[in-house]
Amino acid sequence: MYLPDDYLYSQKRYPVLYMFDGHNLFHDEDATYGKSWNLAWHIIEGKKDMIVVGQECSHHGNDRLNEYSPYPFADAELQVQQTGLGEKTMDFFVNELKPYIDAHFPTLPQRETTWIAGSSCGGEMALFAGMRYRDIYSRSLVISPYLIPTADYFLMEADQTFFDQPSFFYMSWGALEGNGKHAFVQETTICTELSNRLQEHGARIFFHVKPEGEHTESSWEEEAPLFLDFLFYYE
């Protein structure tokens, strides 16, 4: 977790950003590939009053892929076939994690100040959460989402999702992710079509397409000032 230094005595209450892959957020020594998002530094530098809750995932085999997919999928390149346990993951987020955080920390628990974020499979989950659990989360950071194997499911979900309250999605991806330009074209097509359908149903989308963007923590850290500003931007 990230907590403001003065949270115990400031008498303030804070918005909360829930994030996937918590081990990659704050410290290089905890990160899977030795590089974190360095998120606490960017929050302090940007003078953002907020709490961040980073949920840990399984590091056993390909369990993370299963935990962080709301739909069944197969990926020939990764040689995996998963049933998708993402709905169970979100059940934990909504019915166990959020109530615990609100009970033990000085949060602003209402929808307008409850947000969710992730990258790669975590970005896929942040998108799903912003759609399926739109009564809980008002803003979703969907960063480099791993959508190609589950695109058809997401398009069907988008067709059935209607937003009756303001819902905001930060959608970013990079040209240097995946294997060559074909993957970038696929990702761009999916993200654009999904966003179009969500906008038709009342969502608001902020796009950030990165010409030099890679599928790495270093690349995601570079956009931290932008997505943190997005969370605090109110029309």
Side-chain angles (χ1 to χ4, degrees):
M1 290 183 65
Y2 167 82
L3 292 154
D5 288 341
D6 61 350
Y7 85 96
L8 286 173
Y9 55 84
S10 70
Q11 304 301 310
K12 293 180 182 178
R13 304 192 76 83
Y14 303 92
V16 183
L17 175 63
Y18 293 88
M19 297 189 71
F20 299 92
D21 292 311
H23 55 286
N24 288 333
L25 300 179
F26 303 118
H27 303 293
D28 290 351
E29 57 266 31
D30 297 328
T32 301
Y33 301 108
K35 177 69 184 78
S36 73
W37 295 39
N38 200 19
L39 191 57
W41 186 89
H42 290 283
I43 292 171
I44 295 167
E45 183 73 7
K47 296 181 171 60
K48 307 299 186 191
D49 269 350
M50 63 189 298
I51 291 171
V52 178
V53 179
Q55 181 258 356
E56 183 64 283
C57 69
S58 172
H59 298 281
H60 181 265
N62 288 313
D63 285 353
R64 173 181 173 273
L65 298 178
N66 217 10
E67 292 173 355
Y68 285 3
S69 178
Y71 312 113
F73 75 96
D75 189 313
E77 183 179 339
L78 296 176
Q79 296 183 330
V80 295
Q81 185 164 347
Q82 305 284 15
T83 57
L85 299 177
E87 289 197 36
K88 290 186 177 181
T89 300
M90 286 313 306
D91 181 72
F92 165 73
F93 265 68
V94 170
N95 295 311
E96 295 187 48
L97 182 59
K98 185 180 188 306
Y100 179 89
I101 296 299
D102 289 338
H104 291 84
F105 298 94
T107 69
L108 292 168
Q110 59 266 37
R111 177 184 183 275
E112 291 75 16
T113 46
T114 302
W115 310 320
I116 194 159
S119 62
S120 192
C121 293
E124 176 186 17
M125 289 295 293
L127 174 61
F128 176 73
M131 296 163 64
R132 182 72 65 86
Y133 297 90
R134 56 195 177 277
D135 59 326
I136 304 293
Y137 306 102
S138 62
R139 293 179 184 251
S140 303
L141 304 181
V142 183
I143 300 170
S144 299
Y146 174 61
L147 294 177
I148 292 175
T150 55
D152 289 341
Y153 288 105
F154 270 101
L155 290 170
M156 287 190 290
E157 185 90 32
D159 285 338
Q160 299 167 18
T161 302
F162 295 87
F163 299 92
D164 57 0
Q165 301 179 76
S167 292
F168 302 84
F169 292 82
Y170 171 98
M171 185 85 70
S172 78
W173 64 98
L176 303 183
E177 300 187 49
N179 294 321
K181 294 181 180 179
H182 180 64
F184 175 63
V185 171
Q186 280 186 294
E187 190 169 23
T188 299
T189 300
I190 294 166
C191 289
T192 303
E193 180 58 28
L194 266 172
S195 297
N196 286 340
R197 297 190 191 191
L198 293 175
Q199 287 183 109
E200 288 171 3
H201 292 173
R204 303 180 189 182
I205 312 293
F206 177 89
F207 289 108
H208 181 47
V209 183
K210 303 168 288 183
E212 303 297 324
E214 300 177 332
H215 204 81
T216 63
E217 278 69 29
S218 293
S219 185
W220 300 327
E221 180 187 349
E222 287 178 4
E223 58 187 300
L226 186 62
F227 64 65
L228 290 173
D229 282 346
F230 165 84
L231 292 173
F232 286 86
Y233 172 73
Y234 292 92
E235 295 183 346

